[in-house]
Amino acid sequence: MPLLSLYINNKAGGLIYHRDFASHAAELDVNEHLRLASTFNGLALILKELSPAKRSSKMELLEADSFVLQSFDTLTGLKFFVTADPDSKKLDAVLREVYELYSDFVLKNPFYETDMPIHCERFDEKLIKLAEDYQRR
Amino acid sequence: MAHLRKTGDAVFSKVEKVNSELFSLTYGAIVTQLLKDYEEVDATNEQLEKMGYNIGIRLVDEFLAKAQISSCQNFSETAEVIAKVGFKMFLGVTAEVTNSNASEFSLQLTDNPLAEFVELPEQYSQLSYSNMLCGVLRGALEMVQMRVECTLTKDALWGDDVTELRVVLKELMDEEYKDDDE
């Protein structure tokens, strides 16, 4: 059960990282990915406002016939979200692992500017490995 | 707060370690180089704080990710989490929280790994040697929507029994969406 795509949004809701893991991931161009990511950011926030329960979190899970989307907000305001085939399990754990990788291989790179798009090769490598491991689980 | 101690020990055993002498000598080299470059104590204190801030805004994500911290209910809980988990994770020691209330707290360190071999010479008696820690706390808390002021109020290097950091909450930065038209 492979992961499809991973997105990371910054505090302002702008896309700073995107990667596809499977050949059947949505085929979109760069602008469409940007639009999609910031739309999801707004949508998750609106759903939080719609919640009847006070202090509800933002939207965390979206399920459809052909895919699921799991989202994870950090206390620092970042949003990590991943799409995967339906019935994929433990996607929240995957996102927590991605957060750890981000804190190691992105933030510890002194030349990475926070809130800017991520171009870190070692981060890419670790993510690809994580996605491969997930598929074997 | 026994469960926090456990979390601190667990995450400390998980993270990578460096030799403590390499660590304290590296820090010493930074402080002495700043003293050379800025030629005065006040500017050095300020610069150490700024460097700490830049570390803190990055470090906080590693802390939240690896210690799996969820949001704190109040400022006193924040103090305990920093003292028992944060300090343990990154410095290998825990701090004691004292004088804690809804908007301020002090952190006391009996062991300061930064200053293991340090004796302050007379001309630098006003130096806040460990001021980088203040900056780290300010940077880290700012990223989780708390604007604080942090100062080194006691230092074993000044002859005090303990090293003490005072943290004062200035503002909770609410990021809730507010409608401008109202």
Side-chain angles (χ1 to χ4, degrees):
Chain A
M1 212 67 81
L3 300 176
L4 294 175
S5 306
L6 170 80
Y7 301 81
I8 304 177
N9 281 358
N10 65 13
K11 252 183 299 197
L15 183 68
I16 54 171
Y17 189 83
H18 161 249
R19 172 162 292 277
D20 291 332
F21 297 110
S23 52
H24 61 296
E27 280 175 38
L28 303 170
D29 65 30
V30 180
N31 280 326
E32 285 168 326
H33 278 300
L34 283 171
R35 213 175 309 136
L36 181 104
S38 61
T39 305
F40 178 70
N41 217 77
L43 184 65
L45 194 62
I46 290 169
L47 286 177
K48 171 188 153 99
E49 299 291 318
L50 280 177
S51 161
K54 274 186 185 153
R55 300 177 66 90
S56 161
S57 69
K58 294 175 188 171
M59 174 163 63
E60 287 177 357
L61 180 65
L62 185 151
E63 287 178 307
D65 290 345
S66 56
F67 78 106
V68 295
L69 183 155
Q70 177 93 38
S71 167
F72 167 64
D73 292 293
T74 74
L75 294 175
T76 50
L78 295 167
K79 185 187 284 294
F80 292 77
F81 57 107
V82 66
T83 54
D85 283 343
D87 303 327
S88 296
K89 296 281 180 284
K90 298 200 170 148
L91 289 171
D92 51 338
V94 172
L95 289 172
R96 286 200 156 268
E97 282 177 59
V98 175
Y99 188 25
E100 280 192 38
L101 293 176
Y102 167 83
S103 74
D104 277 336
F105 296 97
V106 179
L107 289 177
K108 285 183 190 168
N109 176 358
F111 297 106
Y112 171 69
E113 279 182 64
T114 45
D115 283 347
M116 298 305 278
I118 298 166
H119 302 287
C120 299
E121 269 178 40
R122 290 180 67 193
F123 182 58
D124 296 342
E125 287 164 16
K126 295 280 175 184
L127 280 181
I128 291 166
K129 183 158 180 308
L130 175 70
E132 284 169 358
D133 288 350
Y134 179 80
Q135 199 167 350
R136 278 196 292 268
R137 274 177 206 176
Chain B
M1 289 287 166
H3 69 285
L4 285 181
R5 256 177 212 284
K6 234 188 216 167
T7 312
D9 289 340
V11 67
F12 179 66
S13 66
K14 207 170 68 175
V15 292
E16 272 186 63
K17 320 279 188 301
V18 294
N19 181 296
S20 76
E21 290 188 18
L22 172 70
F23 176 68
S24 63
L25 292 179
T26 306
Y27 187 72
I30 291 171
V31 177
T32 48
Q33 188 62 44
L34 285 176
L35 279 169
K36 273 187 203 135
D37 291 351
Y38 286 88
E39 293 174 352
E40 53 170 326
V41 168
D42 287 351
T44 304
N45 288 343
E46 192 184 317
Q47 204 59 31
L48 281 170
E49 206 272 351
K50 273 190 202 161
M51 291 169 77
Y53 175 82
N54 289 328
I55 295 173
I57 57 175
R58 289 170 180 250
L59 207 66
V60 64
D61 274 311
E62 185 181 9
F63 175 60
L64 298 172
K66 294 192 179 161
Q68 309 223 346
I69 300 289
S70 50
S71 45
C72 296
Q73 298 308 309
N74 54 49
F75 203 50
S76 308
E77 190 185 344
T78 306
E80 291 293 338
V81 169
I82 292 171
K84 299 294 180 288
V85 189
F87 272 79
K88 184 72 189 178
M89 176 173 170
F90 292 112
L91 292 177
V93 296
T94 55
E96 285 305 316
V97 179
T98 56
N99 298 322
S100 160
N101 62 39
S103 66
E104 49 191 314
F105 61 81
S106 297
L107 296 171
Q108 292 190 338
L109 287 171
T110 33
D111 248 341
N112 180 0
L114 291 178
E116 221 174 317
F117 310 107
V118 182
E119 295 172 25
L120 285 186
E122 223 164 84
Q123 75 266 34
Y124 298 140
S125 63
Q126 298 302 307
L127 180 69
S128 298
Y129 186 82
S130 303
N131 220 25
M132 198 181 274
L133 294 180
C134 294
V136 172
L137 288 178
R138 181 168 69 90
L141 287 172
E142 186 176 297
M143 293 302 282
V144 285
Q145 292 91 44
M146 282 175 263
R147 201 167 64 75
V148 300
E149 244 167 43
C150 181
T151 42
L152 195 67
T153 42
K154 285 183 191 167
D155 196 330
L157 303 180
W158 298 334
D160 296 308
D161 298 338
V162 291
T163 301
E164 183 182 82
L165 305 161
R166 184 91 187 133
V167 181
V168 180
L169 180 65
K170 290 290 165 190
E171 186 190 1
L172 277 174
M173 294 177 287
D174 208 351
E175 54 171 17
E176 289 296 297
Y177 172 74
K178 300 269 187 324
D179 197 339
D180 294 337
D181 297 338
E182 275 179 36

